[in-house]
Amino acid sequence: MNCSELREGQVLVCDECGFELKVVNACGEACCATDTCCTGNITCCGEPMRIKQ
């Protein structure tokens, strides 16, 4: 999961420790067009975070 795939209002959660991140503002198309947004997995506790259902 990288920031270009996230949308406003989504919550990422770490399955190991329960830490959560809420997307307040999505990075949008302009960020991705310039290759300045993150391109790797967003991780916590050494594992990729997942979208909370």
Side-chain angles (χ1 to χ4, degrees), residues 29-51:
E29 303 258 339
C31 175
C32 298
T34 61
D35 276 340
T36 57
C37 61
C38 62
T39 56
N41 283 327
I42 298 170
T43 62
C44 184
C45 297
E47 296 294 326
M49 296 179 80
R50 65 172 176 83
I51 296 175

Side-chain angles (χ1 to χ4, degrees), residues 2-53:
N2 65 53
C3 65
S4 66
E5 299 170 314
L6 297 172
R7 302 294 172 246
E8 188 174 323
Q10 287 182 311
V11 176
L12 291 176
V13 64
C14 173
D15 289 326
E16 289 292 318
C17 70
F19 178 71
E20 295 183 0
L21 291 172
K22 182 176 183 178
V23 179
V24 176
N25 293 311
C27 69
E29 303 258 339
C31 175
C32 298
T34 61
D35 276 340
T36 57
C37 61
C38 62
T39 56
N41 283 327
I42 298 170
T43 62
C44 184
C45 297
E47 296 294 326
M49 296 179 80
R50 65 172 176 83
I51 296 175
K52 187 175 181 178
Q53 300 297 325

